[in-house]
Amino acid sequence: MDNMLKERINKLKQERNAVIVAHMYQNDDVQEIADMVGDSFALSKYCMNRPENTIVFCGVDFMAESAKILSPEKTVLIPVAGAGCAMADMITAEQLKEFKKQYPGYAVATYINSSAAVKAESDVIVTSSNALKVIQRMSEKNILFCPDRNLGNFIAKQCPDKNIVIWQGFCPIHHKIQKEDVVKIKDLYPNAELLVHPECTPEVTALADYAGSTKGIIDYATASDSEEFIIGTEIGVMYQLKKNNPYKKFYIMSEELICPNMKKTTIESIVNCLEKGENEVFVPENVAKRAKIALDRMLELGK
Ligand code: 13P
Ligand code: SF4
């Protein structure tokens, strides 16, 4: 990216007293200009602790909403309105209410990939990087988990003392990874470690050397003595993987692992958003208040 554009963005950030954050699945140039690139958990915490009063959130709706809920006094802008998450759309607050009615007395643990209204119906929120810790530390034994069936199964297997009933949502992007393709690519690169996101199916996760959040995958690859890695998550993580490990080799499971909503954010949309202050994220106060209780519990248990 040319220096003039970088300077323009910096000037606009100063004028608006803004910080730019980006998820690991964003386009490479967006990750390059962001002040912080992280997974869902790291970004939520970072936004809370920043002194700037405006956050430009390069990600999808639920992430920007979570930032707003955790920092209600700040202005949160999303460069492209309507960048949703297909998995988050797989459960509505009404559906969760019905699910709760079927299982009275169960606590609700909800993946952060969910709407603010669904979070408001939940007892605790988890992300892929803290789900195991949070659920192990919950005092309740009977738990409803939504919306991701794969993360739910991944956690349930590691928590035999909990009784976890799982909603059947999933991420269509991670579901593109088939066990047969994993076997083939492992044959092709026998010395490579397989690193996947827990949104992959259990058949795929079972073959992995490591399953964890986007940041977890990057940290694992950086710390590992291996020189080659097969990556089973959205293609955007390749940017940070290569940047942090220029001498290691990374093979993405498929070039089709693209989350279309994550890729909607462009540099132009960020400039536009900074200039006009458009696409401010609002969460109704009664929803935000209840969702914050569940998010705060995550921050407490996930410490
Ligand atoms: P992370 O929390 O691991 O960044 O994942 C978010 C996500 O949407 C994965 O598909
Ligand atoms: Fe949602 Fe899947 Fe995109 Fe993550 S990759 S934001 S879970 S649709």
Side-chain angles (χ1 to χ4, degrees):
M1 186 188 313
D2 65 67
N3 283 341
M4 262 175 53
L5 187 55
K6 271 192 187 155
E7 272 171 34
R8 183 154 166 233
I9 292 173
N10 279 338
K11 192 165 167 276
L12 286 167
K13 277 197 314 190
Q14 273 171 15
E15 282 167 12
R16 210 169 265 287
N17 189 15
V19 63
I20 302 177
V21 302
H23 186 260
M24 307 269 193
Y25 294 165
Q26 291 286 293
N27 289 307
D28 293 359
D29 53 358
V30 171
Q31 294 193 40
E32 195 190 322
I33 59 112
D35 297 294
M36 155 79 171
V37 182
D39 65 6
S40 310
F41 186 51
L43 291 177
S44 318
K45 286 213 304 200
Y46 181 83
C47 293
M48 280 170 71
N49 297 325
R50 290 301 303 188
E52 293 84 355
N53 56 27
T54 298
I55 296 161
V56 176
F57 207 114
C58 306
V60 289
D61 282 355
F62 76 80
M63 297 179 177
E65 276 183 358
S66 299
K68 178 69 187 173
I69 295 165
L70 287 168
S71 305
E73 73 293 352
K74 292 183 186 166
T75 301
V76 178
L77 305 174
I78 186 159
V80 181
C85 164
M87 182 205 286
D89 292 344
M90 289 184 191
I91 189 162
T92 62
E94 286 312 311
Q95 285 172 316
L96 179 52
K97 278 186 205 167
E98 283 306 311
F99 193 32
K100 289 193 321 190
K101 269 191 211 155
Q102 286 170 33
Y103 293 92
Y106 279 58
V108 179
T110 294
Y111 191 23
I112 197 162
N113 294 40
S114 52
S115 68
V118 166
K119 287 187 179 75
E121 289 298 324
S122 308
D123 297 294
V124 68
I125 306 305
V126 303
T127 74
S128 56
S129 66
N130 64 24
L132 183 61
K133 197 191 250 184
V134 169
I135 293 195
Q136 277 172 339
R137 288 182 175 176
M138 282 173 76
S139 50
E140 299 94 332
K141 183 178 175 319
N142 293 325
I143 296 168
L144 299 181
F145 186 90
C146 73
D148 185 19
R149 68 184 188 217
N150 295 319
L151 180 64
N153 276 314
F154 180 69
I155 299 303
K157 270 192 209 133
Q158 298 172 77
C159 299
D161 55 320
K162 302 278 184 193
N163 173 33
I164 307 180
V165 182
I166 301 165
W167 187 259
Q168 292 300 303
F170 61 92
C171 165
I173 290 92
H174 287 84
H175 263 230
K176 286 184 185 167
I177 305 175
Q178 302 282 314
K179 183 186 169 188
E180 297 69 34
D181 301 329
V182 177
V183 173
K184 271 190 213 153
I185 196 165
K186 271 171 83 93
D187 278 349
L188 207 58
Y189 303 110
N191 297 324
E193 287 194 82
L194 174 67
L195 317 182
V196 305
H197 197 279
E199 288 177 15
C200 291
T201 62
E203 298 76 40
V204 168
T205 308
L207 297 174
D209 295 288
Y210 173 79
S213 77
T214 51
K215 184 178 181 297
I217 288 174
I218 289 158
D219 291 348
Y220 183 96
T222 308
S224 169
D225 290 334
S226 300
E227 285 168 10
E228 293 179 87
F229 303 88
I230 301 162
I231 304 301
T233 189
E234 211 267 1
I235 199 161
V237 296
M238 296 295 271
Y239 179 75
Q240 298 293 330
L241 280 168
K242 290 178 183 167
K243 191 175 161 189
N244 293 354
N245 302 282
Y247 302 111
K248 293 185 179 177
K249 288 190 180 134
F250 298 98
Y251 314 108
I252 188 82
M253 269 299 309
S254 157
E255 297 287 332
E256 285 173 22
L257 294 175
I258 296 172
C259 175
N261 282 319
M262 282 284 184
K263 302 303 191 228
K264 284 180 178 168
T265 319
T266 58
I267 297 293
E268 294 69 40
S269 65
I270 295 170
V271 171
N272 193 48
C273 170
L274 279 167
E275 274 175 354
K276 302 190 181 138
E278 277 174 2
N279 304 335
E280 184 168 351
V281 175
F282 293 105
V283 180
E285 210 181 310
N286 59 334
V287 171
K289 230 174 154 179
R290 290 161 60 219
K292 189 169 183 304
I293 297 171
L295 277 162
D296 282 344
R297 192 169 175 208
M298 169 187 84
L299 294 173
E300 182 54 34
L301 293 175
K303 266 205 292 224

